[in-house]
Amino acid sequence: MDLSHPERLSATDAARAVASGALSAEQLVQACLERIREVEPAVQAWQYLDEAHALAQARARDADRAEGRPIGPLHGVPVGIKDIIDTADMPTEDGTVLHAGRTPARDAAVVAQLRAAGAVVLGKTVTTELATYAPGKTRNPHDATRSPGGSSSGSAAAVAAGMVPLAVGTQSNASVIRPAAYCGVYGFKPSYGLISRHGVLKLSPSLDAVGVFARTLDDVALLAEQITGFDENDPVTRPHARLPFVQTLAAAPPLPPKLAFVKTPMWERTEPGTREAFSELVEALGASCEEVALPDSLAEAWEWHRTIMEAEMALHLDLEYERGRDKLSAPLQQQLARGREISALAYQRALGRLPRLLDGFDELFAKFDALVAPATTGTAPPLASTGDPVFGTLWTLAGMPALAMPLMHGADGLPLGAQLVGRRGDDMRLLRTARWLQMQLDT
Amino acid sequence: MDLSHPERLSATDAARAVASGALSAEQLVQACLERIREVEPAVQAWQYLDEAHALAQARARDADRAEGRPIGPLHGVPVGIKDIIDTADMPTEDGTVLHAGRTPARDAAVVAQLRAAGAVVLGKTVTTELATYAPGKTRNPHDATRSPGGSSSGSAAAVAAGMVPLAVGTQSNASVIRPAAYCGVYGFKPSYGLISRHGVLKLSPSLDAVGVFARTLDDVALLAEQITGFDENDPVTRPHARLPFVQTLAAAPPLPPKLAFVKTPMWERTEPGTREAFSELVEALGASCEEVALPDSLAEAWEWHRTIMEAEMALHLDLEYERGRDKLSAPLQQQLARGREISALAYQRALGRLPRLLDGFDELFAKFDALVAPATTGTAPPLASTGDPVFGTLWTLAGMPALAMPLMHGADGLPLGAQLVGRRGDDMRLLRTARWLQMQLDT
């Protein structure tokens, strides 16, 4: 392991180096902070970062080790946290001036779990306005004229720019998948209910999910393993044994996986470069991958998602709308106004579609290990927009686990992601299939 | 045990007599059918009753015993089933001509549980229109000019008239408590989620609950014990061990219970006779019972209930409204029209009130074992109405267990019920407290 540039290490290698004593947490964090000083002026991934506080955490982790206290799986490893996820020691401002200076009294459940695993909470990463569509200041690390995607803009960009090996984000539509794909890193949104949302800005509780960013699949597994689990404060989580993501990733699949390439009813929105790239990908996979047509009627699912999301946003951002409407972006104002007009009948109807939607996918997963779909319509768009979320919608609505994989590039040389989607609840099989896919394409 | 009038036995005694061989199931069912022939012309409690089929079930139970097969806790005991609860061997018409001739393919979960316990499903009892407010044909067994209450009209009346020792009903507002009180029997609506609603007409899934009717508290416990439990087809049920209601009822409370008499913000709606009766009841209980004022702000809870119930009814009775509106009663048409106008925002807001509402009651239950409240505004009203549901609303909304107890009479000599309400989830403590209360008043 080359320790001359600790900031370039994967989280897995960094954790190993800190655990063995080959590297101190302080050296690791110091190297990340240096990298940040170098590239942050161009990328603008951080909403809050107190170097002294980060280093103090690192030194405390080093003291743990020196004094023989237990070492967690992320001991000394820095993690970036999206600024809609509460931290007791840093502000959490939700990407809106309406929440400027907001200082939560406690850590969100995921932050507490990360600290328990020994991680250094490096700082807060930029979010779009209230985790919706109006961009923050962050730029794409591959091209400063392009968007990093949203809403977890800073988390994706910080990982892609080598500032931090790991970051946490959230997704209610495509807010993990899209920025991961635009920035060329892995982005994993687990099954609905796998990670507690307690202490995370509520936008649409029927859709909201916490997700993770990393530069390697092993790192995705390492981070996800620390933050999944039951939390009595989030009623959609369920008691279950800790999911051994890392171990699962190391094991070979019992049978060679079968993949279904699904264009989804939104395929028309893809750019020509995306179509080409996917046609090459499917060809490279040969007999392992079969194109499967999803029913056209599924196009309604995007409308169900909009109904649920806007109706629930109208409730959970009601105070912001009532008291500070003029401080919200015009598109968000319009979205909230629309949400207030949705009837309880339409809202319940949309929610009522989910069981049958999942039954339909279950049939597919009897035959296939995972679905391959676009992650985005194309490569990162210009800064004015965070890009089209259309390829995140369906899997978020259905609560299915989804992984953005940085497998391709567009004609403009920018990263283009593929999205691997698993059966709801089968997150470990999804990651194991992703590892297999990666190895297929490497050979 | 006097076996000369088997139809007069409690379910507990009848089950014992059948198990011991002192009485055959056929004799028991035959006696109930004779009683029905006698009083049904006046009471009109049954929507469907096939004597031959009832007797065939009874003979099959007798054959079980004769041939040494296992005997269930309700072996050979006849039970009436509200006609919104599916039965595979009888029609289930939901109290509306729109569902005339409806023949479900399978039993509701509670019916399957009753059969597994050895019960004889005697027949289907009259419900109001779609379990809402428009009366069916049933009359109060104590006075044929009065209402039996609703919506579980036939279940309450059949038990009160001695036609059957046990019956099952449902409640989304006051549909178990109110008819039980008007008819002078016990009515028990357990905690939300304790009994599966699978196979029961869906009206308002956030409120709908299955409940039971009996002439004794032991019989309430015996019946409730057979039908509580987890059902994967009803997502609000939870896995738990079988609740030993019968055994709990036989045990003395660890400490003398403390009761809180709560008038609720709707006390003004009570009739003078009700006020008098409660003042006597509270006096009789002396130091065991303390009057506790609930906050006036709680009056809003009735509006939350209305919002939730009407919004959910608009969804679940949408087909009836869209295709058969003119076959619905005018008040139900109006109710469904109102439900369609409710916004998703108002609906979610109402649902969002529940956690704090329950927290407030939890404080009360730290000090008291149960709350005593009116079950109805007064004795049974004339037949044109099923009576005011106002004293069922709050406890249904909060999902708290409630028991109508036939403790008093009005100035008109008709039954007047008290309602005992427990902490959500503490159903066994509620029944044990009811037994204690009964014994206090008997001495």
Side-chain angles (χ1 to χ4, degrees), chain B residues 239-262:
Chain B
H240 57 73
R242 171 158 284 208
L243 299 183
F245 278 113
V246 173
Q247 188 187 323
T248 303
L249 204 57
L255 288 172
K258 289 282 289 176
L259 304 179
F261 172 49
V262 295

Side-chain angles (χ1 to χ4, degrees), chain B residues 84-414:
Chain B
I84 69 161
I85 300 175
D86 284 355
T87 39
D89 53 352
M90 302 176 193
T92 304
E93 298 186 321
D94 303 324
T96 172
V97 293
L98 292 172
H99 295 193
R102 185 175 165 273
T103 51
R106 14 182 125 181
D107 284 337
V110 286
V111 173
Q113 283 167 307
L114 287 173
R115 295 198 207 265
V120 169
V121 176
L122 195 70
K124 306 302 287 285
T125 57
V126 171
T127 171
T128 59
E129 178 192 31
L130 289 159
T132 58
Y133 300 105
K137 62 182 178 179
T138 311
R139 299 172 206 168
N140 195 303
H142 299 276
D143 179 343
T145 70
R146 305 286 190 112
S147 170
S151 62
S152 309
S153 320
S155 288
V159 171
M163 302 184 194
V164 67
L166 301 174
V168 179
T170 63
Q171 170 159 321
S172 311
N173 192 358
S175 288
V176 167
I177 294 302
R178 179 159 101 269
Y182 289 158
C183 292
V185 297
Y186 286 91
F188 177 41
K189 181 210 78 75
S191 291
Y192 182 70
L194 202 65
I195 301 180
S196 169
R197 289 103 32 103
H198 183 59
V200 178
L201 177 73
K202 253 187 214 172
L203 213 59
S204 174
S206 299
L207 302 167
D208 296 344
V210 172
V212 303
F213 296 89
R215 291 190 296 267
T216 76
L217 205 45
D218 286 304
D219 284 4
V220 166
L222 179 63
L223 177 51
E225 187 168 325
Q226 311 314 316
I227 59 177
T228 56
F230 175 66
D231 177 6
E232 61 164 10
N233 292 311
D234 183 346
V236 308
T237 61
R238 289 277 168 270
H240 57 73
R242 171 158 284 208
L243 299 183
F245 278 113
V246 173
Q247 188 187 323
T248 303
L249 204 57
L255 288 172
K258 289 282 289 176
L259 304 179
F261 172 49
V262 295
K263 289 178 166 173
T264 85
M266 297 298 149
W267 181 250
E268 295 307 310
R269 311 253 291 249
T270 52
E271 294 164 14
T274 306
R275 297 182 199 190
E276 261 169 58
F278 271 90
S279 124
E280 283 167 26
L281 177 69
V282 170
E283 198 177 336
L285 290 170
S288 304
C289 186
E290 186 179 316
E291 186 178 334
V292 173
L294 297 179
D296 288 343
S297 62
L298 212 57
E300 290 176 43
W302 277 258
E303 186 56 26
W304 307 336
H305 178 279
R306 193 192 64 76
T307 299
I308 294 168
M309 184 155 168
E310 292 188 345
E312 296 189 348
M313 281 171 59
L315 178 71
H316 295 289
L317 300 180
D318 186 42
L319 214 62
E320 288 75 10
Y321 188 81
E322 286 292 354
R323 300 201 187 156
R325 200 173 319 176
D326 57 331
K327 300 279 197 305
L328 299 175
S329 69
L332 182 54
Q333 285 183 42
Q334 287 153 18
Q335 208 181 7
L336 293 175
R338 278 201 306 273
R340 298 167 81 89
E341 295 305 312
I342 293 167
S343 74
L345 187 60
Y347 171 61
Q348 294 174 86
R349 250 187 212 142
L351 284 173
R353 304 295 189 172
L354 298 187
R356 201 173 301 170
L357 181 68
L358 283 170
D359 286 349
F361 283 117
D362 274 359
E363 284 173 33
L364 261 184
F365 287 107
K367 195 169 165 198
F368 298 99
D369 291 85
L371 316 181
V372 180
T376 53
T377 55
T379 55
L383 278 174
S385 147
T386 59
D388 188 341
V390 69
F391 286 110
T393 309
L394 182 58
W395 322 119
T396 302
L397 177 70
M400 290 157 72
L403 178 75
M405 299 179 74
L407 296 180
M408 307 173 292
H409 285 87
D412 53 10
L414 289 175

Side-chain angles (χ1 to χ4, degrees), chain B residues 34-83:
Chain B
E34 275 163 32
R35 174 72 182 161
I36 290 172
R37 274 178 230 128
E38 186 186 329
V39 293
E40 175 67 359
V43 178
Q44 302 276 304
W46 299 90
Q47 186 63 33
Y48 180 89
L49 201 161
D50 175 344
E51 295 200 357
H53 180 54
L55 286 166
Q57 289 179 66
R59 282 192 289 265
R61 295 296 76 75
D62 286 331
D64 288 341
R65 190 176 174 283
E67 289 159 28
R69 283 191 286 269
I71 298 292
L74 289 176
H75 210 81
V77 178
V79 183
I81 307 288
K82 183 178 184 179
D83 201 34

Side-chain angles (χ1 to χ4, degrees), chain A residues 370-422:
Chain A
L371 316 182
V372 180
T376 53
T377 56
T379 56
L383 279 173
S385 147
T386 58
D388 187 340
V390 71
F391 287 110
T393 309
L394 182 58
W395 322 119
T396 303
L397 176 70
M400 292 156 72
L403 179 75
M405 300 179 73
L407 296 181
M408 307 173 291
H409 284 86
D412 53 11
L414 289 175
L416 183 66
Q419 188 171 196
L420 206 63
V421 179

Side-chain angles (χ1 to χ4, degrees), chain A residues 325-347:
Chain A
R325 199 173 319 177
D326 57 330
K327 299 279 197 306
L328 299 175
S329 69
L332 182 53
Q333 286 184 42
Q334 287 153 16
Q335 206 179 9
L336 294 175
R338 278 200 306 272
R340 298 166 81 88
E341 295 306 312
I342 293 168
S343 74
L345 186 60
Y347 170 61

Side-chain angles (χ1 to χ4, degrees), chain A residues 122-206:
Chain A
L122 196 70
K124 304 304 286 284
T125 57
V126 171
T127 171
T128 58
E129 178 191 32
L130 289 159
T132 57
Y133 300 107
K137 62 182 179 179
T138 310
R139 299 172 204 167
N140 194 303
H142 298 278
D143 178 343
T145 69
R146 303 287 189 109
S147 170
S151 64
S152 308
S153 320
S155 288
V159 171
M163 302 180 190
V164 67
L166 300 174
V168 178
T170 63
Q171 169 159 321
S172 310
N173 192 357
S175 287
V176 167
I177 295 301
R178 180 157 103 268
Y182 289 159
C183 292
V185 297
Y186 286 90
F188 177 42
K189 181 209 79 75
S191 291
Y192 182 71
L194 202 65
I195 302 179
S196 168
R197 290 100 36 101
H198 183 59
V200 178
L201 177 72
K202 254 187 213 172
L203 214 59
S204 174
S206 299

